Amino acid sequence: MSKEVSEEGQAHGKDYVDPPPAPLIDLAELKLWSFYRALIAEFIATLLFLYVTVATVIGHKKQNELDKCDGVGLLGIAWAFGGMIFVLVYCTAGISGGHINPAVTFGLFLARKVSLIRAVGYMVAQSLGAVAGVGLVKAFMKHEYNRFGGGANSVASGYNTGTAIGAEIIGTFVLVYTVFSATDPKRSARDSHIPVLAPLPIGFAVFVVHLATIPITGTGINPARSFGAAVIYNNNKAWDDHWIFWVGPFVGALAAAAYHQYILRAAAIKALGSFRSNATN
């Protein structure tokens, strides 16, 4: 691994450039229109994401009640979530980075990809967008929305809290790990001629995680998604379990950021090598 690190340290051998770490607090961002444009993009993207996905869930439950063979099924719901993430990341990546998820933003903040101010701004915009998106679903199909659970996340019957947290941690790890891998500067340099390669695996990760965890928690892996549904549905069960859909995704994002940055990208070894080099000079 030390050989690999030393080779990476030779700038002339690279076909990519690692961006410098984002400052912890960057007050200058507050003066830039691009910052507020990014907040708007995150708000609208999360609104659209929640509107389409929660409407799909409610529509499926309505059709399935009348005919058990009708409706899009679990597979269709998973495709709705994964497909929307693919579309929205593709549309907003060049504006805000296409996070659409506080857990993704948190992971990128830990890796110093975004500043604290931008991370907090994104999380607020995403949460408000989620509330607005689910609010639209309720406005358009109020009776069905209230009758079929409002798309709110909760621990399914037969599963305990520990299982639910574990499912959320692992599911979010898969998603955030995919985000780091798909947007890695090495990969971006190599695959820059195919612009859909970053959004595609991210959307597919959301799809497969939903297949695994819908039966357990309805699949959160996105605190804004869970928050928006909980606020609009406003049911005791949804609120009682709600903390799971913040703690689980944030722990999963932390684990994914640490794994990618300090093991796969060997950031700890690079830092140690730099320290030793400075000590000998």
Side-chain angles (χ1 to χ4, degrees):
M1 182 178 286
S2 60
K3 179 181 179 181
E4 180 185 82
V5 171
S6 64
E7 288 176 351
E8 288 182 355
Q10 299 175 4
H12 66 270
K14 289 184 176 181
D15 60 353
Y16 68 95
V17 176
D18 280 314
L24 180 60
I25 299 176
D26 187 5
L27 295 176
E29 285 189 307
L30 298 174
K31 300 178 182 179
L32 300 174
W33 162 241
S34 60
F35 172 70
Y36 297 99
R37 181 181 62 182
L39 294 183
I40 295 170
E42 287 293 311
F43 174 85
I44 295 298
T46 314
L47 183 157
L48 295 174
F49 175 60
L50 266 293
Y51 171 73
V52 170
T53 54
V54 173
T56 301
V57 171
I58 302 301
H60 162 69
K61 289 185 176 181
K62 179 182 178 181
Q63 292 177 306
N64 191 248
E65 184 186 42
L66 301 174
D67 182 352
K68 294 300 181 183
C69 295
D70 205 355
V72 297
L74 186 149
L75 186 64
I77 292 172
W79 270 123
F81 279 89
M84 278 303 290
I85 288 297
F86 167 58
V87 170
L88 293 170
V89 170
Y90 180 81
C91 291
T92 60
I95 301 171
S96 65
H99 297 192
I100 322 170
N101 184 336
V104 171
T105 299
F106 180 64
L108 293 173
F109 165 70
L110 293 177
R112 300 290 301 276
K113 305 293 185 182
V114 295
S115 69
L116 177 61
I117 290 177
R118 185 172 289 264
V120 172
Y122 276 19
M123 290 181 192
V124 171
Q126 291 156 359
S127 297
L128 293 177
V131 171
V134 181
L136 284 177
V137 177
K138 184 173 182 178
F140 292 163
M141 49 179 74
K142 184 174 182 179
H143 176 70
E144 292 83 1
Y145 178 86
N146 291 326
R147 183 178 179 184
F148 294 114
N153 290 119
S154 62
V155 181
S157 176
Y159 296 95
N160 58 38
T161 299
T163 301
I165 293 177
E168 289 295 311
I169 290 173
I170 294 172
T172 310
F173 180 93
V174 172
L175 170 59
V176 178
Y177 173 39
T178 303
V179 170
F180 274 107
S181 298
T183 59
D184 190 291
K186 287 183 177 180
R187 189 180 303 276
S188 297
R190 188 184 64 200
D191 301 333
S192 60
H193 60 291
I194 311 178
V196 299
L197 281 187
L200 184 59
I202 295 171
F204 201 74
V206 171
F207 165 67
V208 296
V209 168
H210 273 75
L211 290 179
T213 55
I214 283 176
I216 304 173
T217 62
T219 308
I221 68 169
N222 183 336
R225 175 260 184 274
S226 302
F227 178 73
V231 168
I232 300 300
Y233 188 53
N234 199 26
N235 173 271
N236 288 337
K237 172 63 173 173
W239 283 119
D240 289 344
D241 294 342
H242 186 63
W243 65 273
I244 294 170
F245 302 100
W246 285 87
V247 174
F250 273 40
V251 172
L254 169 63
Y259 175 63
H260 184 270
Q261 293 297 104
Y262 291 100
I263 296 179
L264 299 187
R265 292 302 303 272
I269 294 178
K270 291 178 184 178
L272 180 61
S274 177
F275 174 78
R276 287 176 175 173
S277 177
N278 291 334
T280 58
N281 290 337

